[in-house]
Structures are given as C-alpha cells and as structure tokens.
Amino acid sequence: MRLDKYLKVTRLIKRRTIANEACDAGRVLVNGKPARASYEVKEDDVIEIQLGQRPLKVQVVSVTESPRKEEAAQNYKVIE
C-alpha cells in the first residue's frame, strides 16, 4: 500500500492530499529516510511524522487495505 494511503487509512493524517503534501515537503520519514508518497509500506517499517508541535514515531504492525474506524489504530504501534 502507498505511504500516503496508509497514513490516511490508519488515521495518522486526516486527508490523503495532506499526507501527500507532507511527503513532498520531507516531513515524513520511513526508517530514517525521507519517503515519497508512492513508497510501498511494509510491516516493521518505522514511520516518523513531523507535523504540528509534536513529532510522532510509529512502527507498522500490519497493512490492511480498508480497516474500520475501531481497527485503524491496530495497524501501528506508537514508539514515541
């Protein structure tokens, strides 16, 4: 699954266009490197999002195409 879609589906970022713009601006890192919106997310990837005041660091647990709202947070684990 594409990185911008993963961020939207897991509700880490509200809209896919915002996720896409954040990737283009270099505010999203995957495994410590700036990632493009087209990056294919895999399990055990570490995603860092630098939006707003507090940066967020999560580890991908699973990649589900269309989880329900209640299940969205089970796709990742917050590290920091």
Side-chain angles (χ1 to χ4, degrees):
M1 178 185 306
R2 289 173 52 105
L3 178 59
D4 57 346
K5 185 174 181 183
Y6 181 81
L7 293 173
K8 190 247 183 223
V9 166
T10 56
R11 292 170 169 78
L12 290 168
I13 296 180
K14 283 190 177 187
R15 295 189 185 98
R16 190 168 174 180
T17 54
I18 295 173
N20 205 328
E21 291 169 3
C23 291
D24 291 344
R27 295 179 177 264
V28 179
L29 306 176
V30 177
N31 300 326
K33 299 177 186 173
R36 302 183 78 187
S38 60
Y39 175 82
E40 285 294 318
V41 176
K42 298 175 282 301
E43 291 183 11
D44 296 326
D45 280 345
V46 176
I47 301 173
E48 297 177 54
I49 305 167
Q50 300 164 347
L51 289 176
Q53 299 286 21
R54 225 177 69 200
L56 178 65
K57 191 172 187 179
V58 298
Q59 181 176 8
V60 177
V61 175
S62 66
V63 180
T64 307
E65 217 32 62
S66 56
R68 289 194 210 141
K69 184 177 182 180
E70 303 84 31
E71 301 167 350
Q74 296 173 355
N75 288 320
Y76 61 89
K77 177 175 60 175
V78 177
I79 298 173
E80 289 179 14

